Amino acid sequence: MSAAGACILAPAGPELTAQEREFFADAAPWGFILFARNVETPEQLRRLTHDLREAVGREAPVLIDQEGGRVARLGPPHWRAWLPPLEQVERAVGAGAPERAARGMWLRYRLIANELRAVGIDANCAPIADIAEGTTHPFLKNRCYGTDLETVVRMARASAQGLLAGGVLPVLKHIPGHGRAAVDSHRDVPLVGASAADLSGRDFAAFRALADLPMAMTAHVVYEAIDPGAVATCSPRMITLIRTEIGFGNLLMSDDISMRALAGPLEARCHLALAAGCDLVLHCNGDAGEMRVVAAASGRLSADGQRRAEAALAARRAPEAVDISALEAELSELLGGQRDI
């Protein structure tokens, strides 16, 4: 079988059009990602995930950003509402707080995994290992899991394990660390001026401790002490650092290639990200013309990318049997009876 396309693409709406079906069959993206515009009801979403996989003729991974809190593509009335991650972690105070907070994050993402698998979604863009700083931009701040290295690693590990136990692949983000960025990379280029030593001992260390996870998403951030000329996604120096100093040897995808932190035409962005060492290019807005450019520019997975992609998919497993009601009750108790968990 030929390698899949070195891209992850997104449909435009809640139903796959005939034109999209034909395009996806030809482009053969490695996977798909869904957004709120693609979501109406559980029944509709099951049809969509089925149709996406049918279009490419294989069990392609279907991703989503379901962190819970502000970044949640699924929500009431069909799915649970969630506290922001940082707020949930901070609710665990008193004796045994770290253990209870970690258990709460495992429960959170085990329940999220159950909701995702029920509609055919089997990869989630979480956990976040960015460390919240005083200057962290509000677009990211309360999505983080803590303000210190130990807490962030512990909560991220528990979150990833909850997803994996529920049959959902975790996507670690935003490697090698977005927490020091004071601007939103959706809108501008974040410049981080910390020294290489400070970055290695704090930001990068969080990802080093989680480098065994099957997938990760890059940060569109410029680390001036290491490569002042390019965001990490498009920087061979930074991707080499991710592979060597951080030790992440698994499947590496870009953040959305259409974000404003990146300059130049889409074709050039794709070429730069792949040449730097990303395995996959992510494109999110569902624009048909842009997707054609991205698919053509990305080509097929490299031999190394194919190997890493197969290893990631091998980490997908059937969910472990659990009593969902019991898990809900346990999490509610940990959060002091909070209604929105």
Side-chain angles (χ1 to χ4, degrees):
M1 181 183 295
S2 62
C7 57
I8 296 171
L9 303 177
E15 296 182 359
L16 200 59
T17 67
Q19 292 81 5
E20 285 176 325
R21 191 184 297 270
E22 181 179 355
F23 166 66
F24 290 145
D26 181 61
W30 181 75
F32 300 96
I33 188 166
L34 301 180
F35 292 87
R37 67 175 186 266
N38 306 118
V39 176
E40 291 178 344
T41 67
E43 294 76 14
Q44 165 269 326
L45 199 46
R46 279 190 288 271
R47 287 195 303 272
L48 178 60
T49 56
H50 171 271
D51 290 349
L52 288 168
R53 292 186 172 108
E54 186 177 63
V56 294
R58 56 187 157 82
E59 285 298 303
V62 179
L63 294 77
I64 200 165
D65 284 291
Q66 188 68 2
E67 298 171 10
R70 195 157 40 82
V71 177
R73 315 307 184 193
L74 310 182
H78 300 294
W79 298 278
R80 298 174 183 85
W82 295 94
L83 294 169
L86 189 59
E87 183 176 339
Q88 176 174 321
V89 172
E90 289 175 344
R91 280 177 176 266
V93 296
E99 293 79 10
R100 291 191 295 111
R103 177 62 177 173
M105 292 299 278
W106 186 93
L107 291 164
R108 174 192 183 97
Y109 284 101
R110 180 61 184 86
L111 291 168
I112 286 175
N114 188 66
E115 292 187 328
L116 298 183
R117 282 290 298 229
V119 292
I121 298 169
D122 58 5
N124 191 14
C125 297
I128 286 178
D130 305 318
I131 301 173
E133 308 280 357
T135 56
T136 302
H137 191 278
F139 102 94
L140 180 64
K141 184 71 171 278
N142 69 357
R143 298 163 56 196
C144 297
Y145 300 163
T147 58
D148 65 273
L149 173 62
E150 182 180 0
T151 297
V152 168
V153 169
R154 188 169 191 166
M155 300 308 137
R157 174 66 67 185
S159 302
Q161 289 173 338
L163 289 169
L164 286 165
V168 172
L169 289 174
V171 180
L172 179 66
K173 62 188 186 187
H174 305 84
I175 196 168
H178 208 303
R180 293 182 194 259
V183 302
D184 181 353
S185 53
H186 293 85
R187 303 178 181 276
D188 208 343
V189 185
L191 305 176
V192 168
S195 70
D198 286 347
L199 289 166
S200 180
R202 181 170 167 85
D203 308 67
F204 302 168
F207 291 90
R208 195 178 300 123
L210 299 159
D212 59 305
L213 294 182
M215 296 177 64
M217 177 189 291
T218 60
H220 292 336
V221 173
V222 173
Y223 304 89
E224 295 176 301
I226 301 166
D227 187 349
V231 298
T233 301
C234 299
S235 166
R237 286 185 221 166
M238 291 306 306
I239 302 301
T240 297
L241 181 150
I242 288 168
R243 295 300 195 192
T244 56
E245 180 183 333
I246 291 175
F248 183 80
N250 296 324
L251 190 64
L252 187 63
M253 58 188 276
S254 77
D255 204 342
D256 183 6
I257 205 72
S258 65
M259 286 162 60
R260 294 180 188 172
L262 281 68
L266 276 177
E267 181 180 20
R269 298 181 191 191
C270 296
H271 289 161
L272 286 169
L274 293 169
C278 292
D279 297 310
L280 292 162
V281 170
L282 175 68
H283 183 264
C284 295
N285 66 25
D287 178 271
E290 288 191 11
M291 285 197 291
R292 292 186 181 280
V293 171
V294 168
S298 301
R300 302 289 164 164
L301 278 165
S302 67
D304 284 342
Q306 178 76 4
R307 173 181 54 79
R308 288 190 278 258
E310 289 173 356
L313 292 181
R316 285 190 301 192
R317 58 178 187 257
E320 299 169 4
V322 291
D323 183 335
I324 293 297
S325 295
L327 298 186
E328 288 179 319
E330 182 184 356
L331 182 56
S332 180
E333 189 277 328
L334 282 172
L335 299 178
Q338 175 75 25
R339 183 175 178 84
D340 287 349
I341 57 178

